[in-house]
Amino acid sequence: MGHSVEMGTIHAGDYLRRFCSNLGMSNQEVKAAQEAVQKTEELDIRRSPISLAAAIIYIITQLSTDKKALKDISVVTQVAEGTIKNSYKDLYPNLSRIVPIWFASEEDIKKSFPAPILKG
């Protein structure tokens, strides 16, 4: 009679490819973003998968030669700029663990991302 519909858990990686493609990111950037998303799943970051995907795209593109504006990432992902910034702040303490070492060194990460200003 009734059919049960099983809903799987949605992960940030489910959105990543489409967002990266729409932003014209390189294969290497996409691979780095995918690895970063996988690493965030091991952390207790309480953000929606879309917000995490947007923040990771922001982080990876800022470490790239082809930087993307926060506004462009916001438009493609349909995540507000403020939400991306807040998700980034949540990820910040773990950046060196999230960003693949083959993509950026810890020193590159520290140079590109000084500590965010946390407003009370």
Side-chain angles (χ1 to χ4, degrees):
M1 300 262 188
H3 298 289
S4 74
V5 178
E6 181 127 355
M7 296 295 287
T9 305
I10 297 172
H11 300 278
D14 298 337
Y15 301 99
L16 206 63
R17 263 211 178 288
R18 179 169 40 108
F19 294 159
C20 292
S21 174
N22 290 344
L23 285 161
M25 292 170 63
S26 72
N27 288 339
Q28 190 175 20
E29 291 166 338
V30 173
K31 186 173 185 251
Q34 288 174 321
E35 285 184 32
V37 162
Q38 288 173 341
K39 290 178 184 175
T40 62
E41 291 176 4
E42 300 164 10
L43 305 171
D44 187 28
I45 308 288
R46 295 168 193 240
R47 291 277 170 189
S48 79
I50 296 177
S51 299
L52 279 178
I56 287 170
I57 289 169
Y58 171 74
I59 291 163
I60 295 299
T61 60
Q62 295 312 297
L63 290 164
S64 160
T65 54
D66 185 21
K67 294 176 177 31
K68 305 291 181 200
L70 186 59
K71 182 180 183 200
D72 295 338
I73 296 168
S74 175
V75 168
V76 167
T77 62
Q78 296 184 336
V79 175
E81 289 181 44
T83 302
I84 296 172
K85 287 178 186 176
N86 287 333
S87 297
Y88 158 73
K89 286 177 190 171
D90 289 347
L91 292 171
Y92 180 83
N94 299 292
L95 285 186
S96 60
R97 288 183 20 212
I98 294 169
V99 177
I101 193 71
W102 59 263
F103 189 76
S105 70
E106 194 165 343
E107 190 176 310
D108 292 335
I109 293 167
K110 285 180 181 170
K111 276 193 252 175
S112 296
F113 298 104
I117 297 167
L118 303 175
K119 294 178 181 166

